[in-house]
Amino acid sequence: MSVGAMWRSNAVTTALLILLNLAVMSLGDAAWIAIGALGLLGAAWFGFRQGMAAGHDACGVLDTVRALSAEEATFGQEKADRKYLAQAWSVGSGARAVLLSALIPLAAGCLYIACTLLDVRPMVLPTRIAAWFLALPWWCAVLPWQKSFEQLTPLVAAVLIVTPFLLPLCQFAGYMQGPKLWAHTEQAMKDGRRRAKARSRVAKKRAPRAQKPEV
C-alpha cells in the first residue's frame, strides 16, 4: 500500500466517523459520548489492522525489490520502476502517510486558531466551522469537560492540534509491524517446505517394494 493509499484510507475513516457523529449528536450527550467513543475505538483498531496488512504487503514488495536489485547488480538491467519502488516498506513512507493524513484537519485547526488570536473577524466563523467539522469525531471526548466549542479554549486548541495525528498514528503503529509479520510468513513458508520434504521422504520409505518373480 502506497502513501497515497494510506491517506485515502484515513480520509474515508474520518469521513465515516463524521457521518456517525452527525447522526448521533442529537441523541444527547450520554449517547453521543458512548457511541462516539465506540466509533473511535473501532476506527483505531481498524486502522491498526489495516496498517499491519499494508506493512506486510509493503515488506513483500521490499523483498522483491531487493531481489531485483541483486539481479540488476549482476546483469546490469533496471528491473523495477519508481511507482513500484514507492510501495516498498520504509519508516519514511509510514511517516509521510501520517503527515499527509493529518495535513488538512491540522491546517484547518491552525488557521482557525491564528484567525482567532489575531482577531481576523471575517475569517473566524468560516474557519471555526471548518475546524469544528473536521474535528467532529473527537468532540465526544471533550463533552464531559466542555459543552460548547464556540470559544477557543486551551482544550479546544489541543483537540485541533493533536487529534489529526491520532488515527494515522494507529495505522502507522500497525504498519511498523510489517517486518515482523513478513519474517513470520517467511518462516512459516520455510517450515511448510521442510514438512513437505519430510513427508515426501517418509512416503518413499514406506513405498512397497516390487516383488521379484519366483524362479
Side-chain angles (χ1 to χ4, degrees):
M1 183 182 287
S2 64
V3 172
M6 288 190 280
W7 172 81
R8 286 191 293 271
S9 172
N10 280 299
V12 170
T13 300
T14 300
L16 292 175
L17 286 174
I18 290 173
L19 293 175
L20 173 66
N21 281 267
L22 286 174
V24 303
M25 62 187 299
S26 61
L27 301 178
D29 290 355
W32 187 8
I33 292 171
I35 298 174
L38 288 175
L40 286 173
L41 290 174
W45 175 247
F46 176 76
F48 181 77
R49 297 290 296 181
Q50 194 172 44
M52 290 174 65
H56 180 271
D57 293 344
C59 285
V61 175
L62 179 61
D63 191 60
T64 302
V65 168
R66 286 172 175 169
L68 292 175
S69 298
E71 290 185 14
E72 181 181 344
T74 303
F75 300 106
Q77 297 176 353
E78 187 175 352
K79 297 291 183 179
D81 58 18
R82 292 183 179 180
K83 185 176 180 180
Y84 188 73
L85 291 173
Q87 299 178 28
W89 188 93
S90 71
V91 177
S93 294
R96 286 194 298 273
V98 172
L99 294 176
L100 185 62
S101 299
L103 180 61
I104 294 177
L106 179 64
C110 290
L111 183 59
Y112 166 55
I113 293 171
C115 290
T116 302
L117 295 178
L118 296 174
D119 197 23
V120 186
R121 296 188 179 181
M123 293 293 296
V124 170
L125 182 59
T127 56
R128 179 195 301 158
I129 293 173
W132 176 86
F133 186 77
L134 291 172
L136 183 59
W138 300 95
W139 293 129
C140 61
V142 183
L143 279 176
W145 296 275
Q146 184 170 332
K147 300 293 183 181
S148 174
F149 313 114
E150 295 181 359
Q151 301 298 323
L152 180 61
T153 64
L155 181 58
V156 169
V159 170
L160 296 178
I161 293 174
V162 175
T163 58
F165 295 96
L166 297 183
L167 290 180
L169 283 173
C170 290
Q171 189 184 57
F172 177 75
Y175 182 81
M176 292 300 292
Q177 303 300 311
K180 182 172 69 175
L181 295 172
W182 183 253
H184 179 74
T185 299
E186 290 285 279
Q187 187 61 44
M189 293 175 63
K190 291 178 182 177
D191 292 343
R193 286 194 292 266
R194 277 201 299 267
R195 286 193 294 267
K197 289 180 180 178
R199 286 195 296 267
S200 177
R201 287 194 295 268
V202 171
K204 289 179 179 179
K205 289 180 180 179
R206 292 180 178 176
R209 295 180 180 178
Q211 294 182 354
K212 294 182 180 180
E214 296 182 358
V215 179

